Amino acid sequence: MFSHLRYWLALPLLIVFACAQAAPSNPPSRVGRLSLLDGDVSMRREDGRRWEDATLNWPLTGGDEIATGDDGLAEIRIGSSALRLGNRTAVDILRLDDERIRVRLQEGSVAVRLRSAERAAAIEVETRHGLVAPLGPGQFRVDHDDATVTLTSYRGDVNFRSDDSDIVVTQGRRADVYSGEGTSVRWNAPEHDDFAEWVLARDERDDALGTPRHVSPEMTGAEDLYEYGDWRRSDEYGEIWYPRDVPSGWAPYRSGRWVSVAPWGWTWVDDAPWGFAPFHYGRWVLLGQRWAWVPGRYAARPVYAPALVVWLGMPGVVVSSGPAYVGWFPLAPREIYLPSYHYSRSYVREINITHVTNVVEITRVERDRRHARYAYRDHRNAVTLVRGDVLRESRPVFRDARRLDDDRWQLPRVATPVPPFEPVRNFRQERSERSPEKDVRSERRTAPDRDDPDDLRRRQRDAARDRDVRSSVAGEDRRPAPLEPFGTIPRERRDDGRDRDRDQVQRDAERRERFRESRQQDGLVPQPRQSPPEREQRLNAPRQQEQERRERDPQQLRQQQLQQLEARRQAEASRREEQQLEQRSRQDLQQRTDERRREQELRDRTQRQFEQQQRRDAQERQRFDEQQREHGRDRHEQRQAIEQQRELQREQQRLQQQRSAQERDARRRGGEPGGRDDRDMSRDRP
């Protein structure tokens, strides 16, 4: 009985565990973007084994690696945050999800720009010697080599934590952190090199563009919309964006290529410098002969999508009677996006909430996709059709796209959110040749480098100790032994005593020579005898030095005092300058905070006014409907009264006609015999 009781008690736990295991896992809603590439830049994906050329607008997630060459520069955007890589830099994106951004700097220089306090609390830069974490919004830089980590703060404060240290680098300072037997710090002024000038120029460009006003700053890729397009106001869709300098006949999802990116699957990578946000957020609408991007309702943290398109053709089925063709077209505003990867019900609501606020409609289409209706299903200017191998091999779409303005190409009749082909890992786009420097860096960035930082530091200390031990052994030949031909006896096993004795004699002579030189340097070997004049000169030398020192002391003291006074003046001037910079930064921060608060208040006030207007409109519509109903009732009563009056009139006419008939009958009867006397009698009556 007790065993049955235990079974029934454990049954709810088993059910909960099974439900937790069966629940689908959502992909991260935040993603990174390669927003700038200059020179030699390479990348290696999480599911890849080889390095390949980096691609503009490539979406980055946890597990990806980026490396730059001698002349390479790169920029990574994650929402409103920016990471910029200098020359000969290698970084690993260890984690990039909705909660945390963790980047490992293997070598080189990386500059970080943070605009949001929330993002500053979520980002971390890991090195082999410690962890770098910002204490708030600002701009800082991390340089890393084998034994040194250099932290530079241009704005804001940065914290460096290791096993035996916790260092805070304030604004306008640079800390060189050395890791050996212990951690030591040397403070310097910020360095202004070519990389710092490039980072400063990029920050000035971002400041000139300003904060995005029509979309959230956390929408990755939104910073390029104001530079490459124009915003307009539409009565039907709200704020819409038109791209500039697009060729005639341009359509969304046509100038780029499809690639497989885990965990989403088929992902669109556009060729345009602005081609990230409009293809992973919002919808497209064709107004006249020009395409416009509709971001939809404002969302503080929009959800990333690999591509907001609908595919043509059943999954895994040949699309046409000839070669296998694949088609797709963009989603229109207020159309529901259904992912082809694993997701939960809450995820599909969040990814569609900017355009579809009716949760019941989302659930209905999700359960039965036949209820979905697409505006551009049969629109030839919106549909793109290519061969299936173009999709499989991740080739550029524009060169192989078929023209749909003639009758040769018939569009498939099946529209589905699931792609016709499953993603297959493709290595054709990868680089087959790499420079020796990058080969060395790629060997260093293998799996053993992903160990714990404590193990890395332990291995470094062991290697340093081994080097010291090897260097202390005098006379050893540390050159590698020559390779022996196959089948020969190794040198140490040969029976050649003469060569071994000759080598041993030479090593002993070298060891004695080094020992004698070291004793002379330490003063253990007596010096040769000197003549009396030389001995007298040697004895008088300390007296002359002492006398010169006494003569030099007042001058040195005065010079030292002047140097100390100048140092205090410089320190005071630098302190005042730091205070002024700190005050200006605080004022700037306060101004930005006030501006953001005012913008938020304006946005909230506009939202409240909009909601109030909606409520007033609803009340007006309700009153109008009530008035219409009352007016209908009055008209109905009037029609009834008119009908009754008409009925009475008809009844009166009928009665009048009856009376007239009776009178005619009476007159007719009066003309018969005997009737005249009656009329005469009636005439004689008073």
Short mmCIF file of all heavy atoms in Angstrom, two decimals, residues 526-576:
data_model
loop_
_atom_site.label_atom_id
_atom_site.label_comp_id
_atom_site.label_asym_id
_atom_site.label_seq_id
_atom_site.Cartn_x
_atom_site.Cartn_y
_atom_site.Cartn_z
N PRO A 526 89.41 37.99 -8.08
CA PRO A 526 90.22 39.17 -7.74
C PRO A 526 90.70 39.89 -8.98
O PRO A 526 91.00 39.28 -10.01
CB PRO A 526 91.39 38.56 -6.96
CG PRO A 526 91.45 37.14 -7.40
CD PRO A 526 90.06 36.72 -7.68
N GLN A 527 90.70 41.21 -8.91
CA GLN A 527 91.16 42.03 -10.01
C GLN A 527 92.69 42.02 -10.07
O GLN A 527 93.36 41.78 -9.07
CB GLN A 527 90.66 43.47 -9.81
CG GLN A 527 89.16 43.59 -9.78
CD GLN A 527 88.54 43.31 -11.13
OE1 GLN A 527 89.20 43.47 -12.16
NE2 GLN A 527 87.28 42.85 -11.10
N PRO A 528 93.29 42.27 -11.22
CA PRO A 528 94.76 42.30 -11.32
C PRO A 528 95.34 43.46 -10.51
O PRO A 528 94.66 44.46 -10.25
CB PRO A 528 95.00 42.47 -12.83
CG PRO A 528 93.73 43.04 -13.36
CD PRO A 528 92.63 42.48 -12.51
N ARG A 529 96.63 43.32 -10.09
CA ARG A 529 97.30 44.33 -9.28
C ARG A 529 97.46 45.62 -10.06
O ARG A 529 97.68 45.62 -11.26
CB ARG A 529 98.69 43.84 -8.84
CG ARG A 529 98.62 42.67 -7.87
CD ARG A 529 99.97 42.38 -7.31
NE ARG A 529 100.44 43.51 -6.54
CZ ARG A 529 101.65 43.58 -5.94
NH1 ARG A 529 102.48 42.57 -6.06
NH2 ARG A 529 101.98 44.65 -5.26
N GLN A 530 97.34 46.73 -9.35
CA GLN A 530 97.41 48.04 -9.96
C GLN A 530 98.68 48.74 -9.49
O GLN A 530 99.22 48.47 -8.42
CB GLN A 530 96.19 48.88 -9.58
CG GLN A 530 94.86 48.26 -9.99
CD GLN A 530 93.69 49.07 -9.49
OE1 GLN A 530 93.87 49.98 -8.68
NE2 GLN A 530 92.50 48.73 -9.98
N SER A 531 99.14 49.69 -10.32
CA SER A 531 100.33 50.47 -9.98
C SER A 531 99.97 51.52 -8.92
O SER A 531 98.78 51.83 -8.73
CB SER A 531 100.88 51.15 -11.24
OG SER A 531 99.87 52.01 -11.77
N PRO A 532 100.99 52.11 -8.16
CA PRO A 532 100.67 53.09 -7.11
C PRO A 532 99.89 54.29 -7.62
O PRO A 532 98.93 54.70 -6.95
CB PRO A 532 102.05 53.48 -6.58
CG PRO A 532 102.91 52.29 -6.85
CD PRO A 532 102.41 51.72 -8.12
N PRO A 533 100.24 54.90 -8.76
CA PRO A 533 99.41 56.03 -9.21
C PRO A 533 97.95 55.61 -9.46
O PRO A 533 97.02 56.33 -9.11
CB PRO A 533 100.09 56.50 -10.49
CG PRO A 533 101.49 56.03 -10.36
CD PRO A 533 101.43 54.73 -9.63
N GLU A 534 97.80 54.45 -10.03
CA GLU A 534 96.43 54.00 -10.29
C GLU A 534 95.69 53.73 -8.99
O GLU A 534 94.50 54.04 -8.85
CB GLU A 534 96.47 52.73 -11.15
CG GLU A 534 96.99 52.96 -12.56
CD GLU A 534 97.06 51.67 -13.34
OE1 GLU A 534 96.84 50.60 -12.71
OE2 GLU A 534 97.32 51.71 -14.55
N ARG A 535 96.46 53.14 -7.95
CA ARG A 535 95.82 52.87 -6.67
C ARG A 535 95.46 54.17 -5.97
O ARG A 535 94.39 54.30 -5.36
CB ARG A 535 96.76 52.03 -5.81
CG ARG A 535 96.12 51.58 -4.52
CD ARG A 535 96.94 50.48 -3.86
NE ARG A 535 98.30 50.87 -3.64
CZ ARG A 535 99.35 50.41 -4.34
NH1 ARG A 535 99.17 49.56 -5.31
NH2 ARG A 535 100.58 50.81 -4.08
N GLU A 536 96.33 55.19 -6.04
CA GLU A 536 96.03 56.49 -5.42
C GLU A 536 94.83 57.15 -6.10
O GLU A 536 93.96 57.72 -5.42
CB GLU A 536 97.27 57.40 -5.54
CG GLU A 536 97.11 58.73 -4.83
CD GLU A 536 97.06 58.56 -3.32
OE1 GLU A 536 97.53 57.50 -2.82
OE2 GLU A 536 96.51 59.43 -2.64
N GLN A 537 94.80 57.04 -7.41
CA GLN A 537 93.66 57.63 -8.13
C GLN A 537 92.37 56.90 -7.77
O GLN A 537 91.31 57.53 -7.62
CB GLN A 537 93.92 57.56 -9.64
CG GLN A 537 92.84 58.22 -10.48
CD GLN A 537 93.17 58.15 -11.96
OE1 GLN A 537 94.21 57.57 -12.33
NE2 GLN A 537 92.32 58.75 -12.77
N ARG A 538 92.51 55.59 -7.57
CA ARG A 538 91.31 54.83 -7.22
C ARG A 538 90.83 55.16 -5.82
O ARG A 538 89.63 55.23 -5.56
CB ARG A 538 91.62 53.33 -7.34
CG ARG A 538 90.43 52.43 -7.05
CD ARG A 538 90.81 51.00 -7.35
NE ARG A 538 91.93 50.56 -6.56
CZ ARG A 538 91.85 50.13 -5.29
NH1 ARG A 538 90.68 50.11 -4.70
NH2 ARG A 538 92.91 49.73 -4.64
N LEU A 539 91.75 55.43 -4.88
CA LEU A 539 91.37 55.78 -3.52
C LEU A 539 90.83 57.19 -3.43
O LEU A 539 89.96 57.48 -2.59
CB LEU A 539 92.58 55.61 -2.57
CG LEU A 539 93.07 54.16 -2.40
CD1 LEU A 539 94.33 54.14 -1.53
CD2 LEU A 539 91.99 53.30 -1.79
N ASN A 540 91.38 58.12 -4.25
CA ASN A 540 90.90 59.51 -4.19
C ASN A 540 89.57 59.71 -4.93
O ASN A 540 88.91 60.73 -4.74
CB ASN A 540 91.95 60.44 -4.82
CG ASN A 540 93.21 60.52 -3.95
OD1 ASN A 540 93.13 60.31 -2.74
ND2 ASN A 540 94.34 60.80 -4.57
N ALA A 541 89.20 58.77 -5.77
CA ALA A 541 87.95 58.91 -6.53
C ALA A 541 86.73 59.03 -5.64
O ALA A 541 85.88 59.90 -5.86
CB ALA A 541 87.81 57.74 -7.50
N PRO A 542 86.60 58.23 -4.55
CA PRO A 542 85.41 58.41 -3.69
C PRO A 542 85.37 59.77 -3.02
O PRO A 542 84.28 60.35 -2.88
CB PRO A 542 85.55 57.28 -2.66
CG PRO A 542 86.37 56.25 -3.34
CD PRO A 542 87.33 57.01 -4.18
N ARG A 543 86.58 60.34 -2.64
CA ARG A 543 86.56 61.65 -2.01
C ARG A 543 86.08 62.71 -3.00
O ARG A 543 85.30 63.60 -2.65
CB ARG A 543 87.97 62.00 -1.50
CG ARG A 543 88.52 61.03 -0.47
CD ARG A 543 89.75 61.62 0.21
NE ARG A 543 90.43 60.63 1.02
CZ ARG A 543 91.46 59.92 0.63
NH1 ARG A 543 91.97 60.12 -0.59
NH2 ARG A 543 92.02 59.03 1.43
N GLN A 544 86.58 62.62 -4.23
CA GLN A 544 86.15 63.59 -5.23
C GLN A 544 84.64 63.47 -5.52
O GLN A 544 83.94 64.47 -5.65
CB GLN A 544 86.94 63.39 -6.52
CG GLN A 544 88.43 63.69 -6.37
CD GLN A 544 89.19 63.42 -7.65
OE1 GLN A 544 88.60 62.99 -8.64
NE2 GLN A 544 90.50 63.66 -7.64
N GLN A 545 84.17 62.26 -5.55
CA GLN A 545 82.74 62.07 -5.79
C GLN A 545 81.91 62.63 -4.64
O GLN A 545 80.86 63.24 -4.86
CB GLN A 545 82.44 60.57 -5.98
CG GLN A 545 83.03 59.99 -7.26
CD GLN A 545 82.78 58.49 -7.37
OE1 GLN A 545 82.17 57.89 -6.48
NE2 GLN A 545 83.27 57.90 -8.46
N GLU A 546 82.41 62.45 -3.39
CA GLU A 546 81.69 62.98 -2.24
C GLU A 546 81.66 64.49 -2.26
O GLU A 546 80.63 65.13 -1.96
CB GLU A 546 82.34 62.48 -0.95
CG GLU A 546 81.66 62.95 0.32
CD GLU A 546 80.28 62.35 0.48
OE1 GLU A 546 79.99 61.30 -0.18
OE2 GLU A 546 79.45 62.92 1.22
N GLN A 547 82.81 65.13 -2.61
CA GLN A 547 82.86 66.58 -2.68
C GLN A 547 81.95 67.11 -3.79
O GLN A 547 81.22 68.09 -3.59
CB GLN A 547 84.31 67.03 -2.92
CG GLN A 547 84.48 68.54 -2.91
CD GLN A 547 85.93 68.95 -3.07
OE1 GLN A 547 86.81 68.08 -3.18
NE2 GLN A 547 86.19 70.24 -3.09
N GLU A 548 81.96 66.45 -4.95
CA GLU A 548 81.07 66.87 -6.03
C GLU A 548 79.61 66.70 -5.63
O GLU A 548 78.75 67.51 -5.99
CB GLU A 548 81.37 66.06 -7.29
CG GLU A 548 82.73 66.38 -7.90
CD GLU A 548 83.02 65.49 -9.08
OE1 GLU A 548 82.16 64.59 -9.37
OE2 GLU A 548 84.09 65.66 -9.72
N ARG A 549 79.34 65.66 -4.85
CA ARG A 549 77.95 65.43 -4.42
C ARG A 549 77.49 66.53 -3.47
O ARG A 549 76.36 67.02 -3.58
CB ARG A 549 77.83 64.07 -3.75
CG ARG A 549 76.39 63.68 -3.41
CD ARG A 549 76.39 62.37 -2.67
NE ARG A 549 77.10 62.48 -1.41
CZ ARG A 549 76.59 63.01 -0.29
NH1 ARG A 549 75.36 63.53 -0.31
NH2 ARG A 549 77.28 63.06 0.82
N ARG A 550 78.41 66.96 -2.52
CA ARG A 550 78.04 68.03 -1.61
C ARG A 550 77.82 69.34 -2.36
O ARG A 550 76.96 70.15 -1.98
CB ARG A 550 79.13 68.20 -0.54
CG ARG A 550 79.07 67.14 0.55
CD ARG A 550 79.86 67.58 1.76
NE ARG A 550 81.27 67.75 1.45
CZ ARG A 550 82.19 66.79 1.59
NH1 ARG A 550 81.85 65.59 2.03
NH2 ARG A 550 83.45 67.03 1.31
N GLU A 551 78.62 69.60 -3.39
CA GLU A 551 78.41 70.81 -4.18
C GLU A 551 77.12 70.73 -5.01
O GLU A 551 76.49 71.74 -5.29
CB GLU A 551 79.61 71.03 -5.11
CG GLU A 551 80.89 71.34 -4.38
CD GLU A 551 82.05 71.47 -5.33
OE1 GLU A 551 81.82 71.21 -6.55
OE2 GLU A 551 83.17 71.80 -4.89
N ARG A 552 76.79 69.50 -5.38
CA ARG A 552 75.63 69.32 -6.24
C ARG A 552 74.32 69.22 -5.47
O ARG A 552 73.24 69.42 -6.03
CB ARG A 552 75.82 68.03 -7.05
CG ARG A 552 75.45 68.20 -8.49
CD ARG A 552 75.77 66.99 -9.34
NE ARG A 552 75.84 65.73 -8.64
CZ ARG A 552 76.95 64.99 -8.52
NH1 ARG A 552 78.07 65.41 -9.06
NH2 ARG A 552 76.94 63.83 -7.88
N ASP A 553 74.38 68.94 -4.17
CA ASP A 553 73.17 68.72 -3.38
C ASP A 553 72.24 69.93 -3.36
O ASP A 553 71.02 69.79 -3.55
CB ASP A 553 73.55 68.31 -1.95
CG ASP A 553 73.91 66.83 -1.89
OD1 ASP A 553 73.60 66.12 -2.87
OD2 ASP A 553 74.49 66.38 -0.89
N PRO A 554 72.74 71.17 -3.09
CA PRO A 554 71.79 72.30 -3.09
C PRO A 554 71.09 72.51 -4.44
O PRO A 554 69.88 72.78 -4.50
CB PRO A 554 72.67 73.50 -2.73
CG PRO A 554 73.83 72.91 -2.00
CD PRO A 554 74.07 71.59 -2.65
N GLN A 555 71.89 72.36 -5.50
CA GLN A 555 71.27 72.52 -6.81
C GLN A 555 70.23 71.42 -7.08
O GLN A 555 69.13 71.70 -7.58
CB GLN A 555 72.35 72.49 -7.90
CG GLN A 555 73.37 73.62 -7.76
CD GLN A 555 74.43 73.52 -8.81
OE1 GLN A 555 74.42 72.61 -9.63
NE2 GLN A 555 75.37 74.47 -8.80
N GLN A 556 70.58 70.18 -6.71
CA GLN A 556 69.63 69.09 -6.90
C GLN A 556 68.39 69.28 -6.04
O GLN A 556 67.26 69.01 -6.47
CB GLN A 556 70.29 67.75 -6.59
CG GLN A 556 71.35 67.34 -7.59
CD GLN A 556 71.97 66.00 -7.24
OE1 GLN A 556 71.69 65.44 -6.17
NE2 GLN A 556 72.84 65.51 -8.12
N LEU A 557 68.61 69.76 -4.80
CA LEU A 557 67.46 69.99 -3.93
C LEU A 557 66.54 71.05 -4.50
O LEU A 557 65.30 70.89 -4.51
CB LEU A 557 67.95 70.40 -2.53
CG LEU A 557 66.86 70.65 -1.48
CD1 LEU A 557 66.03 69.39 -1.26
CD2 LEU A 557 67.49 71.12 -0.17
N ARG A 558 67.16 72.14 -5.00
CA ARG A 558 66.34 73.18 -5.61
C ARG A 558 65.62 72.66 -6.85
O ARG A 558 64.44 72.94 -7.06
CB ARG A 558 67.25 74.37 -5.99
CG ARG A 558 66.52 75.53 -6.66
CD ARG A 558 65.46 76.11 -5.76
NE ARG A 558 64.79 77.23 -6.38
CZ ARG A 558 63.70 77.81 -5.89
NH1 ARG A 558 63.15 77.35 -4.75
NH2 ARG A 558 63.15 78.83 -6.51
N GLN A 559 66.33 71.88 -7.65
CA GLN A 559 65.72 71.33 -8.84
C GLN A 559 64.59 70.35 -8.49
O GLN A 559 63.53 70.34 -9.12
CB GLN A 559 66.78 70.63 -9.69
CG GLN A 559 66.28 70.18 -11.06
CD GLN A 559 67.39 69.60 -11.90
OE1 GLN A 559 68.54 69.49 -11.44
NE2 GLN A 559 67.07 69.23 -13.13
N GLN A 560 64.82 69.55 -7.45
CA GLN A 560 63.77 68.63 -7.02
C GLN A 560 62.55 69.38 -6.52
O GLN A 560 61.41 68.99 -6.78
CB GLN A 560 64.30 67.69 -5.93
CG GLN A 560 65.30 66.67 -6.43
CD GLN A 560 65.84 65.80 -5.32
OE1 GLN A 560 65.47 65.98 -4.15
NE2 GLN A 560 66.73 64.88 -5.67
N GLN A 561 62.80 70.49 -5.76
CA GLN A 561 61.67 71.27 -5.29
C GLN A 561 60.88 71.87 -6.45
O GLN A 561 59.65 71.87 -6.44
CB GLN A 561 62.17 72.38 -4.36
CG GLN A 561 62.72 71.88 -3.03
CD GLN A 561 63.27 72.99 -2.18
OE1 GLN A 561 63.36 74.14 -2.64
NE2 GLN A 561 63.68 72.67 -0.95
N LEU A 562 61.63 72.39 -7.45
CA LEU A 562 60.94 72.93 -8.61
C LEU A 562 60.15 71.84 -9.35
O LEU A 562 59.01 72.06 -9.80
CB LEU A 562 61.95 73.59 -9.56
CG LEU A 562 62.64 74.85 -9.03
CD1 LEU A 562 63.68 75.33 -10.02
CD2 LEU A 562 61.62 75.96 -8.77
N GLN A 563 60.74 70.65 -9.46
CA GLN A 563 60.05 69.56 -10.13
C GLN A 563 58.80 69.14 -9.35
O GLN A 563 57.74 68.89 -9.94
CB GLN A 563 60.99 68.36 -10.30
CG GLN A 563 62.10 68.60 -11.30
CD GLN A 563 63.05 67.42 -11.39
OE1 GLN A 563 62.92 66.45 -10.64
NE2 GLN A 563 64.02 67.50 -12.30
N GLN A 564 58.92 69.07 -8.03
CA GLN A 564 57.75 68.72 -7.22
C GLN A 564 56.66 69.77 -7.35
O GLN A 564 55.47 69.46 -7.44
CB GLN A 564 58.16 68.54 -5.76
CG GLN A 564 59.04 67.33 -5.51
CD GLN A 564 59.49 67.24 -4.08
OE1 GLN A 564 59.16 68.11 -3.25
NE2 GLN A 564 60.27 66.21 -3.76
N LEU A 565 57.07 71.06 -7.34
CA LEU A 565 56.09 72.14 -7.48
C LEU A 565 55.39 72.04 -8.84
O LEU A 565 54.16 72.19 -8.94
CB LEU A 565 56.78 73.49 -7.31
CG LEU A 565 55.88 74.74 -7.40
CD1 LEU A 565 54.81 74.69 -6.33
CD2 LEU A 565 56.72 76.00 -7.28
N GLU A 566 56.18 71.80 -9.89
CA GLU A 566 55.59 71.66 -11.21
C GLU A 566 54.67 70.44 -11.30
O GLU A 566 53.60 70.49 -11.91
CB GLU A 566 56.71 71.55 -12.26
CG GLU A 566 56.22 71.52 -13.70
CD GLU A 566 55.55 72.83 -14.10
OE1 GLU A 566 55.86 73.87 -13.47
OE2 GLU A 566 54.75 72.80 -15.05
N ALA A 567 55.11 69.35 -10.63
CA ALA A 567 54.26 68.15 -10.63
C ALA A 567 52.95 68.42 -9.91
O ALA A 567 51.88 67.96 -10.35
CB ALA A 567 55.00 66.99 -9.98
N ARG A 568 53.00 69.15 -8.78
CA ARG A 568 51.77 69.48 -8.07
C ARG A 568 50.86 70.36 -8.92
O ARG A 568 49.64 70.19 -8.94
CB ARG A 568 52.09 70.16 -6.74
CG ARG A 568 52.56 69.20 -5.66
CD ARG A 568 52.49 69.85 -4.29
NE ARG A 568 53.37 71.00 -4.18
CZ ARG A 568 54.64 70.94 -3.77
NH1 ARG A 568 55.17 69.75 -3.45
NH2 ARG A 568 55.38 72.03 -3.67
N ARG A 569 51.49 71.32 -9.63
CA ARG A 569 50.69 72.18 -10.50
C ARG A 569 50.01 71.36 -11.61
O ARG A 569 48.82 71.54 -11.91
CB ARG A 569 51.57 73.26 -11.11
CG ARG A 569 52.04 74.32 -10.12
CD ARG A 569 52.96 75.30 -10.81
NE ARG A 569 53.43 76.32 -9.88
CZ ARG A 569 54.34 77.25 -10.18
NH1 ARG A 569 54.88 77.25 -11.41
NH2 ARG A 569 54.71 78.15 -9.28
N GLN A 570 50.77 70.47 -12.21
CA GLN A 570 50.19 69.64 -13.25
C GLN A 570 49.09 68.74 -12.70
O GLN A 570 48.04 68.54 -13.33
CB GLN A 570 51.28 68.79 -13.92
CG GLN A 570 52.28 69.60 -14.73
CD GLN A 570 53.33 68.73 -15.37
OE1 GLN A 570 53.34 67.51 -15.16
NE2 GLN A 570 54.25 69.34 -16.13
N ALA A 571 49.34 68.17 -11.50
CA ALA A 571 48.32 67.32 -10.89
C ALA A 571 47.06 68.12 -10.59
O ALA A 571 45.93 67.64 -10.80
CB ALA A 571 48.87 66.68 -9.62
N GLU A 572 47.26 69.36 -10.08
CA GLU A 572 46.10 70.19 -9.78
C GLU A 572 45.35 70.55 -11.07
O GLU A 572 44.11 70.54 -11.11
CB GLU A 572 46.56 71.46 -9.06
CG GLU A 572 45.43 72.37 -8.59
CD GLU A 572 44.60 71.74 -7.51
OE1 GLU A 572 45.11 70.81 -6.83
OE2 GLU A 572 43.45 72.16 -7.33
N ALA A 573 46.13 70.88 -12.11
CA ALA A 573 45.48 71.21 -13.38
C ALA A 573 44.74 70.00 -13.96
O ALA A 573 43.60 70.12 -14.45
CB ALA A 573 46.52 71.72 -14.39
N SER A 574 45.37 68.83 -13.89
CA SER A 574 44.69 67.63 -14.40
C SER A 574 43.47 67.29 -13.56
O SER A 574 42.43 66.86 -14.09
CB SER A 574 45.66 66.44 -14.40
OG SER A 574 46.11 66.17 -13.08
N ARG A 575 43.58 67.52 -12.23
CA ARG A 575 42.42 67.25 -11.37
C ARG A 575 41.27 68.19 -11.71
O ARG A 575 40.10 67.77 -11.78
CB ARG A 575 42.82 67.39 -9.90
CG ARG A 575 41.73 66.98 -8.92
CD ARG A 575 42.24 67.09 -7.50
NE ARG A 575 42.61 68.47 -7.17
CZ ARG A 575 41.72 69.40 -6.81
NH1 ARG A 575 40.43 69.11 -6.75
NH2 ARG A 575 42.12 70.62 -6.52
N ARG A 576 41.62 69.50 -11.90
CA ARG A 576 40.57 70.44 -12.29
C ARG A 576 39.96 70.06 -13.64
O ARG A 576 38.74 70.14 -13.84
CB ARG A 576 41.13 71.86 -12.33
CG ARG A 576 41.37 72.47 -10.96
CD ARG A 576 41.55 73.98 -11.08
NE ARG A 576 42.68 74.34 -11.93
CZ ARG A 576 43.92 74.52 -11.49
NH1 ARG A 576 44.20 74.39 -10.20
NH2 ARG A 576 44.88 74.85 -12.34
#
